[in-house]
Amino acid sequence: MKIAVIKYNSGNVQSVLYALERLGAHPILTDDPNEIKSADRVIFPGQGEASTAMGYLKARGLDQVIRDIKQPFLGVCLGLQLLCEHSEENDTECLGIFPVKVKKFIPENSQEFKVPHVGWNDLENLKSNPLLKDLPENPFVYYVHSYYAELSDATIATTHYIHYFTAILNRDNYWAIQAHPEKSSEVGEKLLSNFLNI
């Protein structure tokens, strides 16, 4: 199986590659449109800033490549946010795969809630979906983010921090996870394994 991990100016790519290798996969890190189009699975990871990342994608024509993907596609963290239609981070128009807006967390109680949201939190309200198959009860995942996707019809799992937000999205052949599966121990490993088996 050929797994393309999209290279763009974002952090955290190496840990995604290591997590895939631990599952026995052989991912390639690439920004070559032909490599991405010919892959069996495509993963769109990232930590970073939305407008800068979108600028990189557009400069290389990768924005349209991502919109045209037909194989299973997984966005992670910033990758989830860029698959939405708009981010409040520097007022950024994103890829529009999911008709969802990305907003900044506003702490209601600064003593209890810090922004960014950093740490372990549970997945709730899981829908029946191949990505979520056979997850353990009360699955915990690791988050690092200041922005979140609103709840929508594409939401297949939620997490509560300040309020409920979208933890995982799915629409057609596109999935996206706000948490970092590569840092989420057994649950993250199972999510990645499920994706590779879709």
Side-chain angles (χ1 to χ4, degrees), residues 10-180:
S10 71
N12 201 47
V13 173
Q14 204 61 49
S15 57
V16 173
L17 296 173
Y18 290 148
L20 292 166
E21 288 167 0
R22 285 196 299 272
L23 291 170
H26 303 285
I28 58 164
L29 180 63
T30 181
D31 60 2
D32 182 325
N34 292 322
E35 290 276 19
I36 295 166
K37 289 175 190 174
S38 65
D40 300 298
R41 300 286 184 278
V42 181
I43 297 179
F44 185 40
Q47 282 175 214
E49 187 274 319
S51 63
T52 306
M54 280 302 303
Y56 186 100
L57 294 174
K58 288 178 179 176
R60 288 154 181 78
L62 295 177
D63 55 331
Q64 197 55 51
V65 170
I66 291 169
R67 291 187 184 103
D68 292 341
I69 288 285
K70 298 293 183 274
Q71 58 269 56
F73 185 102
L74 179 66
V76 174
C77 194
L78 180 61
L80 174 145
Q81 296 177 13
L82 295 179
L83 290 173
C84 295
E85 64 183 10
H86 181 270
S87 173
E88 286 186 352
E89 188 172 23
N90 290 322
D91 191 23
T92 304
E93 291 302 316
C94 299
L95 293 162
I97 301 297
F98 298 105
V100 177
K101 289 184 168 53
V102 172
K103 299 195 166 184
K104 184 164 188 172
F105 279 122
I106 306 296
E108 296 170 356
N109 179 334
S110 60
Q111 298 306 309
E112 184 179 357
F113 295 110
K114 305 289 185 188
V115 178
H117 170 210
V118 178
W120 293 84
N121 213 323
D122 53 349
L123 298 175
E124 301 180 54
N125 304 308
L126 277 66
K127 295 188 177 177
S128 177
N129 190 280
L131 189 70
L132 307 178
K133 183 180 177 185
D134 298 330
L135 288 184
E137 199 170 340
N138 303 317
F140 261 54
V141 289
Y142 186 77
Y143 286 98
V144 183
H145 63 129
S146 299
Y147 295 81
Y148 66 91
E150 293 185 305
L151 300 176
S152 73
D153 290 344
T155 300
I156 60 170
T158 66
T159 289
H160 189 274
Y161 187 78
I162 302 178
H163 48 71
Y164 278 104
F165 65 89
T166 290
I168 305 178
L169 290 164
N170 173 225
R171 184 183 189 193
D172 301 325
N173 59 308
Y174 294 90
W175 284 263
I177 301 172
Q178 179 60 64
H180 287 279

